[in-house]
Amino acid sequence: KGVPDSIREAFQNSDRKLAFSPPTDEAAIISTFGEKLSYSGKEESGFERGMKFSSEKEIQVYSIGGGIVSEIGESSQYGNYIKISHGDKIESIYGGCTKIYVESLEKVKKGQLIASVSPENNGFLSFELWVDGEIANPASYIQF
C-alpha cells in the first residue's frame, strides 16, 4: 500500500531477471538498447531495438530461458533468426544466426545452445526481447 509504481515494477522485474540469462558472452556486446552508436565505422543514428553482439571467434547463442521455438526463418531485418516464446507474453528473437541447432516447436531450456554466429561476413548476433507485443529493454529482464 502506498508503494510507487516504479518501485513495484522494479521488484517485479527483479524476479524476471532471475528467470533469464544472457544469450551469449557478455564480452561480445557491442551495442545496447537505446540510442544507436556506430559499431561498423559508419555514421549511424537511430534507435537500437535490442542488443548486438560480435566477436572475432564464433559466437555461441543460448536460449535466455525455457520456452518453445515458435519460429525459425529468414528475413531482411534479422537474416536467419530464431524466435522463442517463453510464456507470459514474453518472446526473444535471435537474428544473424549462421547455424541453427533447434527445430520449430522444439522445447528449449534456459541456457540451451540454440545457434551460432560466424565472425565471417561481419557476423553479428541481433537480440531482441518482446513483452506484451512491444519491444523491451533486455537489461530490464536479464542480469548482464
Side-chain angles (χ1 to χ4, degrees):
K1 183 176 180 181
V3 176
D5 289 341
S6 60
I7 292 175
R8 184 178 305 113
E9 185 176 329
F11 277 114
Q12 290 171 342
N13 285 343
S14 68
D15 286 344
R16 288 188 174 171
K17 280 189 178 188
L18 297 175
F20 299 107
S21 61
T24 194
D25 183 15
E26 180 181 351
I29 295 174
I30 58 170
S31 70
T32 58
F33 187 84
E35 186 176 340
K36 186 180 281 188
L37 303 174
S38 178
Y39 49 82
S40 63
K42 299 177 183 175
E43 287 292 321
E44 296 184 64
S45 63
F47 190 82
E48 181 65 65
R49 294 165 40 100
M51 301 179 83
K52 291 254 189 310
F53 299 83
S54 182
S55 175
E56 292 179 7
K57 299 178 182 177
E58 184 175 76
I59 297 173
Q60 301 299 301
V61 183
Y62 304 96
S63 175
I64 63 163
I68 296 177
V69 177
S70 59
E71 190 175 329
I72 294 175
E74 182 179 356
S75 73
S76 59
Q77 180 178 359
Y78 298 114
N80 293 325
Y81 69 91
I82 300 169
K83 184 186 286 187
I84 297 176
S85 177
H86 301 283
D88 291 330
K89 298 182 182 177
I90 298 174
E91 293 182 312
S92 54
I93 301 175
Y94 312 79
C97 301
T98 308
K99 296 178 186 171
I100 296 176
Y101 307 122
V102 293
E103 296 180 8
S104 191
L105 301 180
E106 181 177 337
K107 284 186 178 181
V108 294
K109 297 179 181 178
K110 175 180 175 180
Q112 179 178 333
L113 179 66
I114 59 170
S116 62
V117 177
S118 171
E120 299 165 4
N121 301 322
N122 296 323
F124 295 101
L125 169 64
S126 297
F127 173 73
E128 293 180 2
L129 189 65
W130 289 76
V131 179
D132 290 326
E134 297 195 17
I135 194 77
N137 183 349
S140 297
Y141 294 85
I142 300 171
Q143 185 68 47
F144 287 94

